[in-house]
Amino acid sequence: MGVSVLIAAAEGGIIGDGRTGANLALGVGLLGLVIGWLAVARTGGRTGSARTGGRSAIAVGAVGTGLAVLHLVTSSGGPGTGNGLVGAIVAVPLGLGGVFLGRRALTRFRRADQPAG
């Protein structure tokens, strides 16, 4: 049931107009970006939370990107028609940024975890 709800929301079919899916993708993508940024900030302290945050940022960013792409594929009309096309276009780099920052946090965590010498 959860996946079908996300697909329906990405298509704008649950509530409101066609912008619902784009707003959902924007929110999830932005959340992935924030989690990734926090994970990168935590790698300096060499804590395990940086690894968890990095993995979470990758997952949440990928979901945000997937929702945005799904909305782009299923939306009709062009920019300015009120279907959320521009919001979905903006959500793609936000989600990818979350994936990138999550990967960066994991890479930095692994380097800090290795013994020197």
Side-chain angles (χ1 to χ4, degrees):
M1 179 176 166
V3 174
S4 62
V5 170
L6 284 176
I7 290 173
E11 294 173 351
I14 289 185
I15 55 172
D17 55 9
R19 292 186 207 109
T20 305
N23 289 336
L24 178 67
L26 276 168
V28 173
L30 185 61
L31 181 64
L33 194 65
V34 169
I35 292 171
W37 180 74
L38 290 172
V40 168
R42 288 185 183 144
T43 55
R46 299 181 184 173
T47 62
S49 63
R51 182 180 354 189
T52 305
R55 289 179 180 166
S56 300
I58 290 171
V60 172
V63 168
T65 302
L67 287 172
V69 169
L70 182 64
H71 186 78
L72 286 171
V73 170
T74 59
S75 64
S76 59
T81 59
N83 62 2
L85 190 66
V86 174
I89 290 171
V90 171
V92 170
L94 285 178
L96 290 176
V99 171
F100 172 74
L101 286 176
R103 180 68 185 145
R104 184 172 177 195
L106 288 176
T107 303
R108 291 175 82 184
F109 178 79
R110 286 187 188 125
R111 281 190 204 142
D113 201 27
Q114 292 176 353

